[in-house]
Amino acid sequence: MEGLKVSDANLVVYVHPSKSRRVSQAILRELSSLLFKFHEVFDGVVLAYDVEIVDKIAKILPGIHPYFGVRLNAKLLLFSPKPNMLVEGKVVKLTQESIHIIVLGFASAVIISEDIREDFRYKNKNGKELYRSRSQKHHSIKVGTMIRFMVKSMDEEILHIYGSLLPAHTGSISWLDKNSTEISTTDSRKRVNESRGLLEGQATKELTPINNMITKSKKRRIVEEP
């Protein structure tokens, strides 16, 4: 999936003097506060992190409460979808006017009717709603389907994505993967392959597996609770 990237960051975490005996926990608490929020500095939503303390000697800041700064090297897993990128998510609601999706379990997305290509026809049979392709009868989208769609824009404040199913290389992931040779252009095939291999390639090489990182982050947050 496109929009995911690993970024190296040099950070300074400022710790209150009352936390001087529990510096590691204080640092992890500060880093955990970055998770699942969009940050302009990183140009993305922080999904996970791996950190290493660079300097054991902290810099003391003058003032009534002498905070001390700890320098860190961190690898951040970021989600930064841009227009025309391909992202993937799970369909959670269907209507004749729109398709609603959850991306990576935390970001919402919507595709309105004008951004759904005409080949897809809305149907409601016995209360079960779906979109089915007129040209490819086995290509359908319903609640629970994992789909690949193109990003039009993103509201960074509420983490809401506006998407499109107009390109031919969008739709049900399972159908697209089984019928990749039917995708119309070489360029679109390349983009699908790149989006599928991003996590397996870059993230695996440069960072511990994503599931492990997210699990580690969650565990840290639990441990840090007072």
Side-chain angles (χ1 to χ4, degrees):
M1 180 170 71
E2 296 178 332
L4 286 165
K5 62 182 180 180
V6 176
S7 180
D8 292 314
N10 296 319
L11 306 175
V12 177
V13 174
Y14 296 101
V15 181
H16 191 275
S18 64
K19 305 295 184 181
S20 60
R21 294 185 180 182
R22 305 173 67 185
V23 174
S24 296
Q25 290 189 14
I27 290 173
L28 294 179
R29 183 182 292 274
E30 288 297 319
L31 292 176
S32 293
S33 69
L34 301 176
L35 295 175
F36 305 109
K37 300 175 184 177
F38 184 90
H39 299 274
E40 292 185 2
V41 173
F42 306 129
D43 189 29
V45 179
V46 179
L47 301 183
Y49 60 83
D50 194 15
V51 64
E52 176 184 1
I53 296 178
V54 177
D55 196 342
K56 301 295 183 180
I57 301 177
K59 181 179 180 181
I60 307 298
L61 301 180
I64 298 176
H65 298 290
Y67 280 75
F68 53 94
V70 183
R71 293 175 56 234
L72 309 171
N73 281 341
K75 284 186 179 292
L76 305 177
L77 179 62
L78 303 172
F79 180 54
S80 181
K82 304 296 183 184
N84 300 320
M85 284 185 175
L86 294 176
V87 299
E88 301 171 1
K90 183 177 182 179
V91 176
V92 294
K93 183 180 178 180
L94 280 174
T95 70
Q96 192 167 359
E97 292 76 29
S98 60
I99 299 174
H100 299 262
I101 308 122
I102 290 294
V103 179
L104 294 175
F106 74 93
S108 62
V110 65
I111 303 171
I112 59 177
S113 56
E114 64 186 49
D115 293 316
I116 301 173
R117 59 182 180 273
E118 294 183 359
D119 183 53
F120 280 111
R121 176 183 295 176
Y122 173 81
K123 293 186 177 183
N124 189 333
K125 291 186 177 181
N126 301 321
K128 295 183 178 180
E129 299 171 299
L130 60 83
Y131 279 87
R132 175 163 291 162
S133 170
R134 298 179 185 181
S135 59
Q136 303 290 342
K137 300 300 181 182
H138 296 292
H139 190 182
S140 62
I141 297 173
K142 55 187 177 182
V143 172
T145 300
M146 292 295 297
I147 68 170
R148 182 176 294 128
F149 62 96
M150 187 180 74
V151 175
K152 291 184 65 180
S153 64
M154 178 177 177
D155 187 323
E156 297 165 349
E157 184 175 350
I158 61 175
L159 301 181
H160 187 79
I161 301 169
Y162 299 91
S164 170
L165 283 175
L166 294 178
H169 52 284
T170 59
S172 167
I173 293 176
S174 61
W175 188 90
L176 291 169
D177 287 350
K178 291 177 182 178
N179 300 272
S180 58
T181 56
E182 297 184 23
I183 300 176
S184 58
T185 66
T186 302
D187 180 65
S188 63
R189 287 197 298 270
K190 180 180 178 181
R191 294 180 67 186
V192 169
N193 290 334
E194 288 177 347
S195 63
R196 183 191 303 132
L198 179 59
L199 293 183
E200 298 174 358
Q202 184 178 13
T204 300
K205 289 170 58 179
E206 299 185 10
L207 202 56
T208 55
I210 294 173
N211 289 337
N212 290 341
M213 288 188 64
I214 294 178
T215 300
K216 184 190 298 183
S217 297
K218 290 180 178 178
K219 287 182 178 178
R220 285 172 173 169
R221 294 178 72 181
I222 292 173
V223 170
E224 294 158 16
E225 291 297 327

